[in-house]
Amino acid sequence: MSNSKTLLEIRNLLVSRGGSRVLEIPSFVLHANETVALIGPNGTGKSSFLLALAGLLPLESGEIFFRQQSIVPGFSSTEYRRKLAMVFQEPLLFDTTVFDNVALGLRLRHMGSREIHERVHACLERFRIAHLADRSARKLSGGEAQRTSLARAFATRPEIILLDEPFVALDPPARQALSDDLEFVLRESGVTAILTTHDQMDALRLAGRMVVMQQGKIVQSGSPSAVLNQPVNEFVATFVGMENIFTGTVTESTNGLFSVSVAGQTIEIMGGGAPHESVVICIRPENIVISLVNPEVKTSSRNIFTGTITKVVQLGLFNKVYLDCGLSLVATITNQSLEKLVLQAGDQVVASFKATAVHVLRQG
Amino acid sequence: MELFVEGILKAWNLIVSLDAEVYAVTLLSLKISCSATLVSLFIGIPAGVFLALSDFPGRRFVISLVNTGMGLPPVVVGLFVTLFLWRNGPLGFLEILYTPTAMILAQAVIATPIVTGITVASIQNLPANLKLQVQALGATRLQTVWILVREARLPLLAAVMAGFGGVISEVGASIMVGGNIKGQTRVLTTATVMETGKGNFDVAIALSLILMVLAFSVNYLLTVIQQRERPR
């Protein structure tokens, strides 16, 4: 399991906080230079997981290995903690200047003042806050404060950086700007990073691997496209935005295609299945094509349903169209398509999707 | 009313004429209360930091004891310190009863729970994750404590003020363990009690005025420091 690229490894981790079990992770491996996005709903143990990795939580059982060396959490692991940096949801700045905040980690390491000066200024530049160096940390905007917190973490040149929802407290423009800058710094530094988020876009943009957590456990780990397109269970599917989730029964299976009966409709899916097997199927809303009723149009889609639009919800950049085709489907379409097709509630339309666009979850 | 105005005028004369006895009493008051406050800071701040940051069974009980101690009646402290320092008491061999040292001891006993209690509250008022953030930056145990105390420095100044304010104005313990001996253990509060008892209202008023000016000056100084640090 572990090899030369393994930076951090967890075995049989159990952690409780305030009397209740918050983490139960049989194994987790972090490789050098990878960026991992830890996603999951609030209160699911993402922050606790980062704190445990940072050596800041007492472990009920299990072990953490850094470069094959076992870590004892707490004050005895100062050497290990100095190889890591962590950024929390709130900036947690100290009541002093921006410069002194960013310098703190270096001062704790007894670095010379000239080197501190150089490193701090380089970090302030990278996060575009050099002009705030002498400002009191109490007089910063939310975005500036979080930039200071990030600069403070990067100033120590950690081997691993842990970012706990670093944008969650920011308004959208500040969030976008900071997310862009962080993406640049992460790529430029090549530092191994884990960030928690509940925003899939951040995860997609920043991370090479997605890890989904549910109630203190890791339920899926893989490339972003694997997690988004092949969720392992209904929880992950719902969480990553699969909206068309149905339970059905396999009716027949032939030539690499099988049919599933859902609410009286038959859906054809690529793959195989045993008759009478109960399955959960998911279709991403963006994989459903909406067209006007026109018998002359030919399509390669195996699944074609005629139905009525029940509502159209405008979401700015795109729209969600809710359909009743015997089963309730949700499709996303662009503003341009909505305009061209002049869609509104009550219209008859055709919804189609390929047999390859259906993802099957098997229970148990 | 006449008594009051006359008293104030005479008091003013006593103060501006640099009356030797009044000044000696004032100086001793300052010396004893400052020393006691200092002692209470040396004990109370580390104890408060420990109580706020550590986790042991019975911690809450100890904190409630400290909080109760913040309102310790000075006469009760005076009584117990006297019992301890009495010739046959456990600390009788020190032979410090009726000396300024005994008064410092008694006042320190009064001020320490105040300083400890406010320190616990100041440290616990810091953001919950701040301690973790400090550790995440690679701080050792000592560095962590130092940084957290520095972060709580403004509310900690309130601990200094409350501690000093509590002991400079206290009379019960001072009179019991000091004995109000002229030129030795007579301080502003004990002298005020005595002069009032003797009907020397002018002297009593002079002493009270000095006491209030002293308490105000020290608190004003600390407040200026505290507010200068606070961002506007």
PDB file of all heavy atoms in Angstrom, chain A residues 206-239:
ATOM      1  N   LEU A 206      -9.552  22.711  -8.066  1.00  0.00           N
ATOM      2  CA  LEU A 206      -8.313  22.704  -7.300  1.00  0.00           C
ATOM      3  C   LEU A 206      -7.723  21.315  -7.105  1.00  0.00           C
ATOM      4  O   LEU A 206      -6.531  21.177  -6.870  1.00  0.00           O
ATOM      5  CB  LEU A 206      -8.534  23.358  -5.928  1.00  0.00           C
ATOM      6  CG  LEU A 206      -8.998  24.817  -5.957  1.00  0.00           C
ATOM      7  CD1 LEU A 206      -9.436  25.261  -4.571  1.00  0.00           C
ATOM      8  CD2 LEU A 206      -7.893  25.725  -6.463  1.00  0.00           C
ATOM      9  N   ALA A 207      -8.576  20.284  -7.156  1.00  0.00           N
ATOM     10  CA  ALA A 207      -8.098  18.989  -6.674  1.00  0.00           C
ATOM     11  C   ALA A 207      -7.926  17.959  -7.767  1.00  0.00           C
ATOM     12  O   ALA A 207      -8.631  17.945  -8.770  1.00  0.00           O
ATOM     13  CB  ALA A 207      -9.048  18.455  -5.619  1.00  0.00           C
ATOM     14  N   GLY A 208      -6.969  17.067  -7.562  1.00  0.00           N
ATOM     15  CA  GLY A 208      -6.765  15.942  -8.465  1.00  0.00           C
ATOM     16  C   GLY A 208      -7.494  14.712  -7.958  1.00  0.00           C
ATOM     17  O   GLY A 208      -7.656  13.734  -8.681  1.00  0.00           O
ATOM     18  N   ARG A 209      -7.886  14.756  -6.680  1.00  0.00           N
ATOM     19  CA  ARG A 209      -8.598  13.618  -6.119  1.00  0.00           C
ATOM     20  C   ARG A 209      -9.700  14.139  -5.202  1.00  0.00           C
ATOM     21  O   ARG A 209      -9.516  15.137  -4.511  1.00  0.00           O
ATOM     22  CB  ARG A 209      -7.630  12.743  -5.311  1.00  0.00           C
ATOM     23  CG  ARG A 209      -8.302  11.565  -4.605  1.00  0.00           C
ATOM     24  CD  ARG A 209      -7.339  10.420  -4.392  1.00  0.00           C
ATOM     25  NE  ARG A 209      -6.289  10.715  -3.437  1.00  0.00           N
ATOM     26  CZ  ARG A 209      -6.234  10.152  -2.215  1.00  0.00           C
ATOM     27  NH1 ARG A 209      -7.158   9.310  -1.827  1.00  0.00           N
ATOM     28  NH2 ARG A 209      -5.231  10.439  -1.407  1.00  0.00           N
ATOM     29  N   MET A 210     -10.822  13.458  -5.246  1.00  0.00           N
ATOM     30  CA  MET A 210     -11.939  13.838  -4.389  1.00  0.00           C
ATOM     31  C   MET A 210     -12.176  12.734  -3.387  1.00  0.00           C
ATOM     32  O   MET A 210     -12.175  11.559  -3.735  1.00  0.00           O
ATOM     33  CB  MET A 210     -13.202  13.966  -5.235  1.00  0.00           C
ATOM     34  CG  MET A 210     -13.628  15.370  -5.522  1.00  0.00           C
ATOM     35  SD  MET A 210     -15.191  15.285  -6.419  1.00  0.00           S
ATOM     36  CE  MET A 210     -15.418  16.989  -6.755  1.00  0.00           C
ATOM     37  N   VAL A 211     -12.371  13.138  -2.134  1.00  0.00           N
ATOM     38  CA  VAL A 211     -12.694  12.167  -1.098  1.00  0.00           C
ATOM     39  C   VAL A 211     -14.019  12.608  -0.486  1.00  0.00           C
ATOM     40  O   VAL A 211     -14.159  13.750  -0.065  1.00  0.00           O
ATOM     41  CB  VAL A 211     -11.590  12.130  -0.020  1.00  0.00           C
ATOM     42  CG1 VAL A 211     -12.017  11.281   1.157  1.00  0.00           C
ATOM     43  CG2 VAL A 211     -10.287  11.609  -0.620  1.00  0.00           C
ATOM     44  N   VAL A 212     -15.003  11.709  -0.505  1.00  0.00           N
ATOM     45  CA  VAL A 212     -16.318  12.070   0.013  1.00  0.00           C
ATOM     46  C   VAL A 212     -16.480  11.471   1.408  1.00  0.00           C
ATOM     47  O   VAL A 212     -16.211  10.283   1.610  1.00  0.00           O
ATOM     48  CB  VAL A 212     -17.452  11.551  -0.891  1.00  0.00           C
ATOM     49  CG1 VAL A 212     -18.803  12.106  -0.431  1.00  0.00           C
ATOM     50  CG2 VAL A 212     -17.187  11.911  -2.336  1.00  0.00           C
ATOM     51  N   MET A 213     -16.885  12.310   2.361  1.00  0.00           N
ATOM     52  CA  MET A 213     -17.093  11.823   3.726  1.00  0.00           C
ATOM     53  C   MET A 213     -18.559  11.869   4.104  1.00  0.00           C
ATOM     54  O   MET A 213     -19.308  12.745   3.693  1.00  0.00           O
ATOM     55  CB  MET A 213     -16.290  12.665   4.721  1.00  0.00           C
ATOM     56  CG  MET A 213     -14.810  12.336   4.711  1.00  0.00           C
ATOM     57  SD  MET A 213     -13.945  13.232   5.994  1.00  0.00           S
ATOM     58  CE  MET A 213     -14.496  12.340   7.446  1.00  0.00           C
ATOM     59  N   GLN A 214     -18.948  10.861   4.895  1.00  0.00           N
ATOM     60  CA  GLN A 214     -20.311  10.810   5.407  1.00  0.00           C
ATOM     61  C   GLN A 214     -20.230  10.273   6.830  1.00  0.00           C
ATOM     62  O   GLN A 214     -19.684   9.189   7.053  1.00  0.00           O
ATOM     63  CB  GLN A 214     -21.154   9.868   4.538  1.00  0.00           C
ATOM     64  CG  GLN A 214     -22.577   9.714   5.037  1.00  0.00           C
ATOM     65  CD  GLN A 214     -23.323   8.638   4.270  1.00  0.00           C
ATOM     66  OE1 GLN A 214     -22.738   7.841   3.544  1.00  0.00           O
ATOM     67  NE2 GLN A 214     -24.627   8.599   4.450  1.00  0.00           N
ATOM     68  N   GLN A 215     -20.726  11.036   7.766  1.00  0.00           N
ATOM     69  CA  GLN A 215     -20.755  10.646   9.171  1.00  0.00           C
ATOM     70  C   GLN A 215     -19.437  10.057   9.660  1.00  0.00           C
ATOM     71  O   GLN A 215     -19.397   8.965  10.228  1.00  0.00           O
ATOM     72  CB  GLN A 215     -21.892   9.665   9.411  1.00  0.00           C
ATOM     73  CG  GLN A 215     -23.235  10.362   9.226  1.00  0.00           C
ATOM     74  CD  GLN A 215     -24.409   9.424   9.375  1.00  0.00           C
ATOM     75  OE1 GLN A 215     -24.275   8.219   9.192  1.00  0.00           O
ATOM     76  NE2 GLN A 215     -25.547   9.975   9.732  1.00  0.00           N
ATOM     77  N   GLY A 216     -18.371  10.791   9.427  1.00  0.00           N
ATOM     78  CA  GLY A 216     -17.072  10.398   9.958  1.00  0.00           C
ATOM     79  C   GLY A 216     -16.354   9.317   9.185  1.00  0.00           C
ATOM     80  O   GLY A 216     -15.282   8.883   9.582  1.00  0.00           O
ATOM     81  N   LYS A 217     -16.953   8.868   8.091  1.00  0.00           N
ATOM     82  CA  LYS A 217     -16.304   7.810   7.307  1.00  0.00           C
ATOM     83  C   LYS A 217     -16.044   8.293   5.894  1.00  0.00           C
ATOM     84  O   LYS A 217     -16.764   9.144   5.376  1.00  0.00           O
ATOM     85  CB  LYS A 217     -17.210   6.575   7.238  1.00  0.00           C
ATOM     86  CG  LYS A 217     -17.449   5.946   8.583  1.00  0.00           C
ATOM     87  CD  LYS A 217     -18.341   4.730   8.447  1.00  0.00           C
ATOM     88  CE  LYS A 217     -18.524   4.090   9.802  1.00  0.00           C
ATOM     89  NZ  LYS A 217     -19.899   3.807  10.140  1.00  0.00           N
ATOM     90  N   ILE A 218     -15.014   7.704   5.289  1.00  0.00           N
ATOM     91  CA  ILE A 218     -14.760   7.996   3.880  1.00  0.00           C
ATOM     92  C   ILE A 218     -15.611   7.023   3.064  1.00  0.00           C
ATOM     93  O   ILE A 218     -15.490   5.805   3.216  1.00  0.00           O
ATOM     94  CB  ILE A 218     -13.274   7.825   3.544  1.00  0.00           C
ATOM     95  CG1 ILE A 218     -12.471   8.931   4.235  1.00  0.00           C
ATOM     96  CG2 ILE A 218     -13.055   7.865   2.036  1.00  0.00           C
ATOM     97  CD1 ILE A 218     -10.983   8.845   4.019  1.00  0.00           C
ATOM     98  N   VAL A 219     -16.514   7.550   2.254  1.00  0.00           N
ATOM     99  CA  VAL A 219     -17.375   6.653   1.484  1.00  0.00           C
ATOM    100  C   VAL A 219     -16.900   6.476   0.050  1.00  0.00           C
ATOM    101  O   VAL A 219     -17.203   5.489  -0.596  1.00  0.00           O
ATOM    102  CB  VAL A 219     -18.855   7.096   1.504  1.00  0.00           C
ATOM    103  CG1 VAL A 219     -19.462   6.806   2.853  1.00  0.00           C
ATOM    104  CG2 VAL A 219     -19.009   8.552   1.153  1.00  0.00           C
ATOM    105  N   GLN A 220     -16.166   7.466  -0.461  1.00  0.00           N
ATOM    106  CA  GLN A 220     -15.633   7.302  -1.816  1.00  0.00           C
ATOM    107  C   GLN A 220     -14.396   8.153  -1.985  1.00  0.00           C
ATOM    108  O   GLN A 220     -14.293   9.244  -1.431  1.00  0.00           O
ATOM    109  CB  GLN A 220     -16.685   7.695  -2.873  1.00  0.00           C
ATOM    110  CG  GLN A 220     -16.224   7.393  -4.294  1.00  0.00           C
ATOM    111  CD  GLN A 220     -17.355   7.527  -5.321  1.00  0.00           C
ATOM    112  OE1 GLN A 220     -18.436   8.001  -5.015  1.00  0.00           O
ATOM    113  NE2 GLN A 220     -17.077   7.100  -6.546  1.00  0.00           N
ATOM    114  N   SER A 221     -13.444   7.649  -2.740  1.00  0.00           N
ATOM    115  CA  SER A 221     -12.216   8.386  -3.008  1.00  0.00           C
ATOM    116  C   SER A 221     -11.817   8.089  -4.443  1.00  0.00           C
ATOM    117  O   SER A 221     -11.756   6.934  -4.855  1.00  0.00           O
ATOM    118  CB  SER A 221     -11.121   7.937  -2.042  1.00  0.00           C
ATOM    119  OG  SER A 221      -9.875   8.434  -2.468  1.00  0.00           O
ATOM    120  N   GLY A 222     -11.592   9.109  -5.230  1.00  0.00           N
ATOM    121  CA  GLY A 222     -11.217   8.873  -6.619  1.00  0.00           C
ATOM    122  C   GLY A 222     -11.064  10.178  -7.362  1.00  0.00           C
ATOM    123  O   GLY A 222     -11.154  11.259  -6.763  1.00  0.00           O
ATOM    124  N   SER A 223     -10.837  10.087  -8.662  1.00  0.00           N
ATOM    125  CA  SER A 223     -10.696  11.305  -9.458  1.00  0.00           C
ATOM    126  C   SER A 223     -12.034  12.039  -9.451  1.00  0.00           C
ATOM    127  O   SER A 223     -13.079  11.420  -9.279  1.00  0.00           O
ATOM    128  CB  SER A 223     -10.319  10.941 -10.894  1.00  0.00           C
ATOM    129  OG  SER A 223     -11.424  10.340 -11.530  1.00  0.00           O
ATOM    130  N   PRO A 224     -12.003  13.359  -9.622  1.00  0.00           N
ATOM    131  CA  PRO A 224     -13.260  14.101  -9.608  1.00  0.00           C
ATOM    132  C   PRO A 224     -14.280  13.541 -10.594  1.00  0.00           C
ATOM    133  O   PRO A 224     -15.457  13.417 -10.262  1.00  0.00           O
ATOM    134  CB  PRO A 224     -12.843  15.517  -9.982  1.00  0.00           C
ATOM    135  CG  PRO A 224     -11.431  15.618  -9.512  1.00  0.00           C
ATOM    136  CD  PRO A 224     -10.843  14.255  -9.716  1.00  0.00           C
ATOM    137  N   SER A 225     -13.832  13.152 -11.781  1.00  0.00           N
ATOM    138  CA  SER A 225     -14.817  12.678 -12.759  1.00  0.00           C
ATOM    139  C   SER A 225     -15.397  11.339 -12.295  1.00  0.00           C
ATOM    140  O   SER A 225     -16.584  11.065 -12.487  1.00  0.00           O
ATOM    141  CB  SER A 225     -14.205  12.571 -14.149  1.00  0.00           C
ATOM    142  OG  SER A 225     -13.302  11.503 -14.190  1.00  0.00           O
ATOM    143  N   ALA A 226     -14.583  10.503 -11.659  1.00  0.00           N
ATOM    144  CA  ALA A 226     -15.106   9.235 -11.162  1.00  0.00           C
ATOM    145  C   ALA A 226     -16.165   9.469 -10.094  1.00  0.00           C
ATOM    146  O   ALA A 226     -17.220   8.845 -10.095  1.00  0.00           O
ATOM    147  CB  ALA A 226     -13.968   8.383 -10.596  1.00  0.00           C
ATOM    148  N   VAL A 227     -15.881  10.404  -9.186  1.00  0.00           N
ATOM    149  CA  VAL A 227     -16.838  10.641  -8.100  1.00  0.00           C
ATOM    150  C   VAL A 227     -18.125  11.275  -8.630  1.00  0.00           C
ATOM    151  O   VAL A 227     -19.230  10.893  -8.249  1.00  0.00           O
ATOM    152  CB  VAL A 227     -16.204  11.525  -7.000  1.00  0.00           C
ATOM    153  CG1 VAL A 227     -17.236  11.916  -5.957  1.00  0.00           C
ATOM    154  CG2 VAL A 227     -15.035  10.792  -6.346  1.00  0.00           C
ATOM    155  N   LEU A 228     -17.953  12.230  -9.568  1.00  0.00           N
ATOM    156  CA  LEU A 228     -19.143  12.918 -10.067  1.00  0.00           C
ATOM    157  C   LEU A 228     -19.983  12.012 -10.958  1.00  0.00           C
ATOM    158  O   LEU A 228     -21.207  12.084 -10.948  1.00  0.00           O
ATOM    159  CB  LEU A 228     -18.746  14.176 -10.841  1.00  0.00           C
ATOM    160  CG  LEU A 228     -18.128  15.290 -10.005  1.00  0.00           C
ATOM    161  CD1 LEU A 228     -17.800  16.490 -10.882  1.00  0.00           C
ATOM    162  CD2 LEU A 228     -19.064  15.720  -8.887  1.00  0.00           C
ATOM    163  N   ASN A 229     -19.320  11.147 -11.740  1.00  0.00           N
ATOM    164  CA  ASN A 229     -20.071  10.343 -12.698  1.00  0.00           C
ATOM    165  C   ASN A 229     -20.384   8.934 -12.237  1.00  0.00           C
ATOM    166  O   ASN A 229     -21.317   8.322 -12.719  1.00  0.00           O
ATOM    167  CB  ASN A 229     -19.342  10.296 -14.034  1.00  0.00           C
ATOM    168  CG  ASN A 229     -19.300  11.659 -14.678  1.00  0.00           C
ATOM    169  OD1 ASN A 229     -20.317  12.339 -14.742  1.00  0.00           O
ATOM    170  ND2 ASN A 229     -18.127  12.084 -15.102  1.00  0.00           N
ATOM    171  N   GLN A 230     -19.583   8.417 -11.324  1.00  0.00           N
ATOM    172  CA  GLN A 230     -19.880   7.082 -10.812  1.00  0.00           C
ATOM    173  C   GLN A 230     -19.943   7.081  -9.291  1.00  0.00           C
ATOM    174  O   GLN A 230     -19.136   6.439  -8.625  1.00  0.00           O
ATOM    175  CB  GLN A 230     -18.814   6.085 -11.287  1.00  0.00           C
ATOM    176  CG  GLN A 230     -18.874   5.788 -12.764  1.00  0.00           C
ATOM    177  CD  GLN A 230     -17.543   6.065 -13.441  1.00  0.00           C
ATOM    178  OE1 GLN A 230     -16.501   5.751 -12.910  1.00  0.00           O
ATOM    179  NE2 GLN A 230     -17.612   6.689 -14.612  1.00  0.00           N
ATOM    180  N   PRO A 231     -20.887   7.814  -8.740  1.00  0.00           N
ATOM    181  CA  PRO A 231     -21.001   7.815  -7.275  1.00  0.00           C
ATOM    182  C   PRO A 231     -21.289   6.399  -6.769  1.00  0.00           C
ATOM    183  O   PRO A 231     -22.005   5.651  -7.425  1.00  0.00           O
ATOM    184  CB  PRO A 231     -22.176   8.751  -7.003  1.00  0.00           C
ATOM    185  CG  PRO A 231     -22.915   8.854  -8.278  1.00  0.00           C
ATOM    186  CD  PRO A 231     -21.929   8.628  -9.366  1.00  0.00           C
ATOM    187  N   VAL A 232     -20.689   6.055  -5.607  1.00  0.00           N
ATOM    188  CA  VAL A 232     -20.819   4.684  -5.128  1.00  0.00           C
ATOM    189  C   VAL A 232     -22.156   4.410  -4.464  1.00  0.00           C
ATOM    190  O   VAL A 232     -22.557   3.267  -4.325  1.00  0.00           O
ATOM    191  CB  VAL A 232     -19.708   4.290  -4.129  1.00  0.00           C
ATOM    192  CG1 VAL A 232     -18.373   4.188  -4.834  1.00  0.00           C
ATOM    193  CG2 VAL A 232     -19.659   5.253  -2.956  1.00  0.00           C
ATOM    194  N   ASN A 233     -22.822   5.436  -3.974  1.00  0.00           N
ATOM    195  CA  ASN A 233     -24.133   5.182  -3.354  1.00  0.00           C
ATOM    196  C   ASN A 233     -25.027   6.403  -3.505  1.00  0.00           C
ATOM    197  O   ASN A 233     -24.616   7.435  -4.046  1.00  0.00           O
ATOM    198  CB  ASN A 233     -23.967   4.759  -1.882  1.00  0.00           C
ATOM    199  CG  ASN A 233     -23.301   5.847  -1.046  1.00  0.00           C
ATOM    200  OD1 ASN A 233     -23.327   7.013  -1.402  1.00  0.00           O
ATOM    201  ND2 ASN A 233     -22.702   5.444   0.064  1.00  0.00           N
ATOM    202  N   GLU A 234     -26.224   6.262  -3.027  1.00  0.00           N
ATOM    203  CA  GLU A 234     -27.216   7.314  -3.202  1.00  0.00           C
ATOM    204  C   GLU A 234     -26.792   8.603  -2.503  1.00  0.00           C
ATOM    205  O   GLU A 234     -27.022   9.700  -2.994  1.00  0.00           O
ATOM    206  CB  GLU A 234     -28.546   6.821  -2.622  1.00  0.00           C
ATOM    207  CG  GLU A 234     -29.689   7.032  -3.557  1.00  0.00           C
ATOM    208  CD  GLU A 234     -30.964   6.402  -3.017  1.00  0.00           C
ATOM    209  OE1 GLU A 234     -30.906   5.221  -2.644  1.00  0.00           O
ATOM    210  OE2 GLU A 234     -31.975   7.101  -2.957  1.00  0.00           O
ATOM    211  N   PHE A 235     -26.152   8.432  -1.332  1.00  0.00           N
ATOM    212  CA  PHE A 235     -25.707   9.607  -0.581  1.00  0.00           C
ATOM    213  C   PHE A 235     -24.732  10.448  -1.417  1.00  0.00           C
ATOM    214  O   PHE A 235     -24.897  11.653  -1.570  1.00  0.00           O
ATOM    215  CB  PHE A 235     -25.040   9.176   0.731  1.00  0.00           C
ATOM    216  CG  PHE A 235     -24.282  10.290   1.387  1.00  0.00           C
ATOM    217  CD1 PHE A 235     -24.958  11.243   2.129  1.00  0.00           C
ATOM    218  CD2 PHE A 235     -22.908  10.407   1.220  1.00  0.00           C
ATOM    219  CE1 PHE A 235     -24.262  12.291   2.706  1.00  0.00           C
ATOM    220  CE2 PHE A 235     -22.214  11.457   1.794  1.00  0.00           C
ATOM    221  CZ  PHE A 235     -22.890  12.398   2.534  1.00  0.00           C
ATOM    222  N   VAL A 236     -23.725   9.777  -1.978  1.00  0.00           N
ATOM    223  CA  VAL A 236     -22.743  10.496  -2.781  1.00  0.00           C
ATOM    224  C   VAL A 236     -23.426  11.100  -4.012  1.00  0.00           C
ATOM    225  O   VAL A 236     -23.192  12.248  -4.375  1.00  0.00           O
ATOM    226  CB  VAL A 236     -21.576   9.571  -3.204  1.00  0.00           C
ATOM    227  CG1 VAL A 236     -20.588  10.334  -4.086  1.00  0.00           C
ATOM    228  CG2 VAL A 236     -20.866   9.007  -1.987  1.00  0.00           C
ATOM    229  N   ALA A 237     -24.305  10.317  -4.628  1.00  0.00           N
ATOM    230  CA  ALA A 237     -25.002  10.797  -5.830  1.00  0.00           C
ATOM    231  C   ALA A 237     -25.757  12.081  -5.529  1.00  0.00           C
ATOM    232  O   ALA A 237     -25.632  13.080  -6.243  1.00  0.00           O
ATOM    233  CB  ALA A 237     -25.959   9.720  -6.335  1.00  0.00           C
ATOM    234  N   THR A 238     -26.515  12.088  -4.442  1.00  0.00           N
ATOM    235  CA  THR A 238     -27.277  13.281  -4.081  1.00  0.00           C
ATOM    236  C   THR A 238     -26.326  14.422  -3.787  1.00  0.00           C
ATOM    237  O   THR A 238     -26.519  15.549  -4.225  1.00  0.00           O
ATOM    238  CB  THR A 238     -28.123  13.024  -2.818  1.00  0.00           C
ATOM    239  OG1 THR A 238     -28.750  11.773  -2.962  1.00  0.00           O
ATOM    240  CG2 THR A 238     -29.153  14.104  -2.620  1.00  0.00           C
ATOM    241  N   PHE A 239     -25.252  14.085  -3.041  1.00  0.00           N
ATOM    242  CA  PHE A 239     -24.355  15.149  -2.624  1.00  0.00           C
ATOM    243  C   PHE A 239     -23.638  15.793  -3.793  1.00  0.00           C
ATOM    244  O   PHE A 239     -23.425  16.997  -3.809  1.00  0.00           O
ATOM    245  CB  PHE A 239     -23.352  14.640  -1.586  1.00  0.00           C
ATOM    246  CG  PHE A 239     -22.586  15.762  -0.989  1.00  0.00           C
ATOM    247  CD1 PHE A 239     -23.211  16.624  -0.101  1.00  0.00           C
ATOM    248  CD2 PHE A 239     -21.293  16.017  -1.373  1.00  0.00           C
ATOM    249  CE1 PHE A 239     -22.543  17.706   0.406  1.00  0.00           C
ATOM    250  CE2 PHE A 239     -20.611  17.101  -0.877  1.00  0.00           C
ATOM    251  CZ  PHE A 239     -21.235  17.945   0.017  1.00  0.00           C
TER     252      PHE A 239
END
